[in-house]
mmCIF file of all heavy atoms in Angstrom:
data_model
loop_
_atom_site.group_PDB
_atom_site.id
_atom_site.type_symbol
_atom_site.label_atom_id
_atom_site.label_comp_id
_atom_site.label_asym_id
_atom_site.label_seq_id
_atom_site.Cartn_x
_atom_site.Cartn_y
_atom_site.Cartn_z
ATOM 1 N N GLN A 82 6.575 22.525 -9.176
ATOM 2 C CA GLN A 82 6.714 23.972 -9.046
ATOM 3 C C GLN A 82 5.942 24.569 -10.213
ATOM 4 O O GLN A 82 6.145 24.203 -11.330
ATOM 5 C CB GLN A 82 8.221 24.343 -9.177
ATOM 6 C CG GLN A 82 8.535 25.767 -9.250
ATOM 7 C CD GLN A 82 8.196 26.522 -7.973
ATOM 8 O OE1 GLN A 82 8.574 25.954 -6.961
ATOM 9 N NE2 GLN A 82 7.610 27.568 -8.068
ATOM 10 N N MET A 83 5.079 25.416 -9.823
ATOM 11 C CA MET A 83 4.162 26.048 -10.806
ATOM 12 C C MET A 83 4.487 27.563 -10.932
ATOM 13 O O MET A 83 4.238 28.238 -9.900
ATOM 14 C CB MET A 83 2.703 25.795 -10.500
ATOM 15 C CG MET A 83 2.326 24.404 -10.353
ATOM 16 S SD MET A 83 0.637 23.991 -10.091
ATOM 17 C CE MET A 83 0.301 24.832 -8.487
ATOM 18 N N ASN A 84 4.859 28.037 -12.099
ATOM 19 C CA ASN A 84 5.169 29.431 -12.296
ATOM 20 C C ASN A 84 4.214 29.978 -13.356
ATOM 21 O O ASN A 84 3.540 29.344 -14.063
ATOM 22 C CB ASN A 84 6.601 29.629 -12.747
ATOM 23 C CG ASN A 84 7.610 29.099 -11.754
ATOM 24 O OD1 ASN A 84 7.381 29.110 -10.477
ATOM 25 N ND2 ASN A 84 8.761 28.612 -12.202
ATOM 26 N N SER A 85 4.183 31.343 -13.358
ATOM 27 C CA SER A 85 3.293 32.036 -14.320
ATOM 28 C C SER A 85 1.891 31.485 -14.361
ATOM 29 O O SER A 85 1.374 31.153 -15.414
ATOM 30 C CB SER A 85 3.985 31.935 -15.840
ATOM 31 O OG SER A 85 5.231 32.443 -15.814
ATOM 32 N N LEU A 86 1.359 31.324 -13.199
ATOM 33 C CA LEU A 86 0.000 30.741 -13.123
ATOM 34 C C LEU A 86 -1.088 31.563 -13.746
ATOM 35 O O LEU A 86 -0.925 32.856 -13.741
ATOM 36 C CB LEU A 86 -0.349 30.484 -11.642
ATOM 37 C CG LEU A 86 0.414 29.292 -11.005
ATOM 38 C CD1 LEU A 86 0.320 29.378 -9.483
ATOM 39 C CD2 LEU A 86 -0.251 27.989 -11.472
ATOM 40 N N LYS A 87 -1.988 30.947 -14.350
ATOM 41 C CA LYS A 87 -3.166 31.590 -15.040
ATOM 42 C C LYS A 87 -4.456 31.178 -14.353
ATOM 43 O O LYS A 87 -4.520 30.076 -13.679
ATOM 44 C CB LYS A 87 -3.134 31.122 -16.440
ATOM 45 C CG LYS A 87 -1.833 31.309 -17.180
ATOM 46 C CD LYS A 87 -1.993 30.701 -18.586
ATOM 47 C CE LYS A 87 -0.645 30.843 -19.346
ATOM 48 N NZ LYS A 87 -0.679 30.120 -20.687
ATOM 49 N N PRO A 88 -5.524 31.949 -14.486
ATOM 50 C CA PRO A 88 -6.814 31.599 -13.882
ATOM 51 C C PRO A 88 -7.320 30.190 -14.373
ATOM 52 O O PRO A 88 -7.894 29.449 -13.610
ATOM 53 C CB PRO A 88 -7.779 32.602 -14.356
ATOM 54 C CG PRO A 88 -6.843 33.831 -14.559
ATOM 55 C CD PRO A 88 -5.527 33.270 -15.064
ATOM 56 N N GLU A 89 -6.949 29.836 -15.544
ATOM 57 C CA GLU A 89 -7.277 28.530 -16.087
ATOM 58 C C GLU A 89 -6.534 27.293 -15.412
ATOM 59 O O GLU A 89 -6.805 26.140 -15.641
ATOM 60 C CB GLU A 89 -7.142 28.416 -17.493
ATOM 61 C CG GLU A 89 -5.845 28.781 -18.062
ATOM 62 C CD GLU A 89 -5.849 30.282 -18.538
ATOM 63 O OE1 GLU A 89 -6.522 31.120 -17.866
ATOM 64 O OE2 GLU A 89 -5.447 30.531 -19.607
ATOM 65 N N ASP A 90 -5.528 27.636 -14.518
ATOM 66 C CA ASP A 90 -4.874 26.613 -13.791
ATOM 67 C C ASP A 90 -5.634 26.260 -12.444
ATOM 68 O O ASP A 90 -5.297 25.302 -11.774
ATOM 69 C CB ASP A 90 -3.484 27.042 -13.411
ATOM 70 C CG ASP A 90 -2.562 27.220 -14.655
ATOM 71 O OD1 ASP A 90 -2.542 26.378 -15.552
ATOM 72 O OD2 ASP A 90 -1.826 28.189 -14.716
ATOM 73 N N THR A 91 -6.677 26.990 -12.210
ATOM 74 C CA THR A 91 -7.482 26.802 -11.036
ATOM 75 C C THR A 91 -8.155 25.247 -11.117
ATOM 76 O O THR A 91 -8.738 24.990 -12.013
ATOM 77 C CB THR A 91 -8.521 27.793 -10.910
ATOM 78 O OG1 THR A 91 -7.993 29.082 -10.650
ATOM 79 C CG2 THR A 91 -9.535 27.523 -9.721
ATOM 80 N N ALA A 92 -7.777 24.534 -10.066
ATOM 81 C CA ALA A 92 -8.254 23.117 -10.059
ATOM 82 C C ALA A 92 -7.766 22.505 -8.729
ATOM 83 O O ALA A 92 -7.021 23.152 -8.028
ATOM 84 C CB ALA A 92 -7.624 22.389 -11.197
ATOM 85 N N THR A 93 -8.265 21.381 -8.468
ATOM 86 C CA THR A 93 -7.766 20.583 -7.477
ATOM 87 C C THR A 93 -6.617 19.729 -8.069
ATOM 88 O O THR A 93 -6.869 19.057 -9.050
ATOM 89 C CB THR A 93 -8.809 19.681 -6.699
ATOM 90 O OG1 THR A 93 -9.845 20.450 -6.211
ATOM 91 C CG2 THR A 93 -8.221 18.798 -5.728
ATOM 92 N N TYR A 94 -5.456 19.744 -7.522
ATOM 93 C CA TYR A 94 -4.357 19.077 -7.923
ATOM 94 C C TYR A 94 -4.092 17.678 -7.109
ATOM 95 O O TYR A 94 -4.124 17.838 -5.879
ATOM 96 C CB TYR A 94 -3.082 19.884 -7.851
ATOM 97 C CG TYR A 94 -3.078 20.926 -8.963
ATOM 98 C CD1 TYR A 94 -3.957 21.985 -8.936
ATOM 99 C CD2 TYR A 94 -2.203 20.832 -10.009
ATOM 100 C CE1 TYR A 94 -4.020 22.915 -9.961
ATOM 101 C CE2 TYR A 94 -2.218 21.781 -11.012
ATOM 102 C CZ TYR A 94 -3.099 22.790 -10.969
ATOM 103 O OH TYR A 94 -3.125 23.787 -12.018
ATOM 104 N N TYR A 95 -3.935 16.678 -7.820
ATOM 105 C CA TYR A 95 -3.743 15.368 -7.137
ATOM 106 C C TYR A 95 -2.461 14.699 -7.489
ATOM 107 O O TYR A 95 -1.989 14.789 -8.611
ATOM 108 C CB TYR A 95 -4.857 14.367 -7.702
ATOM 109 C CG TYR A 95 -6.277 14.743 -7.330
ATOM 110 C CD1 TYR A 95 -7.075 15.608 -8.140
ATOM 111 C CD2 TYR A 95 -6.870 14.318 -6.111
ATOM 112 C CE1 TYR A 95 -8.364 15.926 -7.884
ATOM 113 C CE2 TYR A 95 -8.183 14.728 -5.841
ATOM 114 C CZ TYR A 95 -8.921 15.521 -6.613
ATOM 115 O OH TYR A 95 -10.234 15.868 -6.364
ATOM 116 N N CYS A 96 -1.872 14.124 -6.445
ATOM 117 C CA CYS A 96 -0.725 13.295 -6.624
ATOM 118 C C CYS A 96 -1.213 11.870 -6.819
ATOM 119 O O CYS A 96 -2.111 11.477 -6.108
ATOM 120 C CB CYS A 96 0.216 13.504 -5.365
ATOM 121 S SG CYS A 96 1.609 12.506 -5.306
ATOM 122 N N ALA A 97 -0.487 11.068 -7.615
ATOM 123 C CA ALA A 97 -0.883 9.782 -7.871
ATOM 124 C C ALA A 97 0.330 8.796 -8.002
ATOM 125 O O ALA A 97 1.414 9.173 -8.580
ATOM 126 C CB ALA A 97 -1.790 9.678 -9.183
ATOM 127 N N GLY A 98 0.124 7.654 -7.669
ATOM 128 C CA GLY A 98 1.215 6.511 -7.724
ATOM 129 C C GLY A 98 0.859 5.548 -8.963
ATOM 130 O O GLY A 98 -0.288 5.124 -9.045
ATOM 131 N N TYR A 99 1.832 5.491 -9.761
ATOM 132 C CA TYR A 99 1.570 4.713 -11.093
ATOM 133 C C TYR A 99 1.517 3.201 -10.869
ATOM 134 O O TYR A 99 2.229 2.670 -10.087
ATOM 135 C CB TYR A 99 2.835 5.104 -12.011
ATOM 136 C CG TYR A 99 2.851 4.395 -13.347
ATOM 137 C CD1 TYR A 99 1.988 4.766 -14.375
ATOM 138 C CD2 TYR A 99 3.829 3.309 -13.429
ATOM 139 C CE1 TYR A 99 2.094 4.031 -15.651
ATOM 140 C CE2 TYR A 99 3.881 2.674 -14.723
ATOM 141 C CZ TYR A 99 3.115 3.126 -15.788
ATOM 142 O OH TYR A 99 3.165 2.475 -16.934
ATOM 143 N N ARG A 100 0.704 2.636 -11.694
ATOM 144 C CA ARG A 100 0.607 1.113 -11.670
ATOM 145 C C ARG A 100 1.235 0.552 -13.048
ATOM 146 O O ARG A 100 2.280 -0.028 -12.996
ATOM 147 C CB ARG A 100 -0.842 0.655 -11.506
ATOM 148 C CG ARG A 100 -1.031 -0.842 -11.598
ATOM 149 C CD ARG A 100 -2.495 -1.167 -11.501
ATOM 150 N NE ARG A 100 -3.346 -0.389 -12.449
ATOM 151 C CZ ARG A 100 -4.574 -0.321 -12.550
ATOM 152 N NH1 ARG A 100 -5.323 -0.855 -11.412
ATOM 153 N NH2 ARG A 100 -5.246 0.339 -13.423
ATOM 154 N N ASP A 101 0.583 0.800 -14.119
ATOM 155 C CA ASP A 101 0.995 0.362 -15.370
ATOM 156 C C ASP A 101 0.227 1.045 -16.479
ATOM 157 O O ASP A 101 -0.928 1.575 -16.179
ATOM 158 C CB ASP A 101 1.040 -1.102 -15.629
ATOM 159 C CG ASP A 101 -0.249 -1.824 -15.403
ATOM 160 O OD1 ASP A 101 -1.366 -1.005 -15.525
ATOM 161 O OD2 ASP A 101 -0.344 -3.013 -15.036
ATOM 162 N N GLY A 102 0.621 1.017 -17.681
ATOM 163 C CA GLY A 102 -0.135 1.619 -18.728
ATOM 164 C C GLY A 102 0.555 2.971 -19.235
ATOM 165 O O GLY A 102 1.644 3.296 -18.840
#
Side-chain angles (χ1 to χ4, degrees):
Q82 177 67 43
M83 304 187 296
N84 299 328
S85 302
L86 283 162
K87 306 173 183 179
E89 50 264 45
D90 293 318
T91 295
T93 298
Y94 285 71
Y95 296 91
C96 176
Y99 174 78
R100 176 183 55 194
D101 57 24

